[in-house]
Amino acid sequence: MDVTEPVFEHRAECAKVSRVLSRIGDKWSVLVIMLLRRQPQRFNELKRGIGNISQRMLTLTLRNLERDGLVSRTVTPSIPPRVDYALTQLGHSLAEPVQALGAWAFDHLDLIDAAQTRYDASADR
Amino acid sequence: MDVTEPVFEHRAECAKVSRVLSRIGDKWSVLVIMLLRRQPQRFNELKRGIGNISQRMLTLTLRNLERDGLVSRTVTPSIPPRVDYALTQLGHSLAEPVQALGAWAFDHLDLIDAAQTRYDASADR
DNA sequence: CCGTATCCGGGCCGATACTG
DNA sequence: CAGTATCGGCCCGGATACGG
């Protein structure tokens, strides 16, 4: 990155934090984390729990979460095979602020909807 | 959305929450919110503060935040024109859990980096 | 200074088919 | 059951040019 020192010196940290946050915001990760928060689950349990995610995206999401050390993957080589996913300790510690943010979102859904409606109405046509 | 009732009844809420969270995770919104948290700022102040954002994306980001009722936009029709952006009350209330998440990200950056390195190393080749 | 309009390349993501 | 492989659309987002 050619970040040419914009204004504050803590830019580099911001960039890193931003990278972490973009993982959280990638549409599926949060849902997976919330589902795993209650208990470990198998691949297709997660798939059904989320409902409209494609197999491909669930795989990718889980791989990324595993790579970040947030989710553990344990394979039981039986027939048929069994794979369990669970939050790591790191994953659980992340789940807390995520939960807080989710709670905020939930609490303010109607305010946001109202604001959007208002905005769209005033932006006539 | 054709969500065909997957497992739990609170799916609809999850979808809405997810929509809100995806706004937060869209790469720039969080940075804008953090910058506006300290004080209102003008367009190019924000641009310089972020450093590598394109004019287009800053505009879009601010429009979305304004649409959600998180940011206010006040125009002073002078020459040259002046536009100030500030967090609304709703925006400030969002800034808190976002800040918490940012703090978590910051605190665990090294753990995540380490996990990634470990993962990439074990995924040989 | 603060935007909007247009072009366009890359990557995200769903659909589908195939393996162990 | 739990994936990998491949293809293709489409949207995100940067670059550039222009207007109030």
Side-chain angles (χ1 to χ4, degrees):
Chain A
M1 296 239 174
D2 61 301
V3 182
T4 51
E5 202 60 34
V7 173
F8 305 103
E9 73 294 339
H10 46 280
R11 271 281 307 146
E13 307 158 0
C14 282
K16 285 189 161 191
V17 169
S18 183
R19 268 185 29 243
V20 174
L21 293 182
S22 66
R23 165 93 354 117
I24 275 83
D26 77 344
K27 188 180 185 186
W28 301 118
S29 295
V30 166
L31 292 175
V32 170
I33 290 173
M34 295 312 266
L35 285 177
L36 287 182
R37 204 178 181 211
R38 328 198 88 193
Q39 56 186 313
Q41 296 201 36
R42 302 178 60 175
F43 187 86
N44 276 354
E45 284 178 323
L46 285 171
K47 188 156 168 16
R48 279 188 298 272
I50 297 178
N52 54 341
I53 191 175
S54 66
Q55 194 170 19
R56 171 194 156 83
M57 285 318 295
L58 181 55
T59 301
L60 288 178
T61 301
L62 288 169
R63 285 295 172 282
N64 284 327
L65 291 174
E66 186 193 0
R67 189 174 110 97
D68 288 347
L70 299 167
V71 158
S72 68
R73 177 176 181 267
T74 48
V75 181
T76 311
S78 55
I79 299 175
R82 174 193 181 97
V83 181
D84 288 276
Y85 292 92
L87 287 186
T88 61
Q89 192 179 6
L90 188 63
H92 271 108
S93 77
L94 170 60
E96 290 186 34
V98 165
Q99 163 69 29
L101 197 57
W104 182 94
F106 186 77
D107 290 344
H108 298 82
L109 275 182
D110 43 357
L111 280 177
I112 291 176
D113 276 343
Q116 288 181 354
T117 307
R118 224 177 311 126
Y119 184 91
D120 294 345
S122 66
D124 30 86
R125 181 194 44 100
Chain B
M1 296 242 174
D2 61 302
V3 182
T4 51
E5 202 60 36
V7 171
F8 305 103
E9 73 295 336
H10 46 280
R11 270 281 305 148
E13 306 158 0
C14 283
K16 285 188 161 193
V17 170
S18 183
R19 268 185 29 244
V20 175
L21 293 181
S22 66
R23 166 91 356 117
I24 275 85
D26 77 344
K27 188 182 187 184
W28 300 119
S29 295
V30 166
L31 291 176
V32 170
I33 290 174
M34 296 313 265
L35 285 178
L36 287 183
R37 205 179 179 208
R38 329 198 89 193
Q39 57 186 312
Q41 297 201 34
R42 302 179 61 176
F43 186 86
N44 276 355
E45 284 178 324
L46 284 171
K47 188 155 169 15
R48 278 188 298 272
I50 297 178
N52 55 341
I53 190 174
S54 66
Q55 195 171 18
R56 171 193 156 85
M57 287 318 294
L58 182 54
T59 302
L60 288 177
T61 301
L62 288 169
R63 285 295 171 283
N64 284 328
L65 291 174
E66 187 192 0
R67 190 174 111 96
D68 288 348
L70 298 167
V71 159
S72 68
R73 178 174 180 267
T74 48
V75 181
T76 311
S78 54
I79 298 174
R82 174 194 181 96
V83 182
D84 288 276
Y85 293 92
L87 287 186
T88 61
Q89 191 179 9
L90 188 63
H92 270 107
S93 77
L94 170 60
E96 290 186 34
V98 164
Q99 163 68 29
L101 197 57
W104 182 93
F106 185 77
D107 289 344
H108 298 82
L109 275 181
D110 44 357
L111 280 176
I112 291 176
D113 276 344
Q116 288 181 354
T117 307
R118 224 177 311 124
Y119 183 92
D120 294 345
S122 66
D124 28 85
R125 179 193 43 102

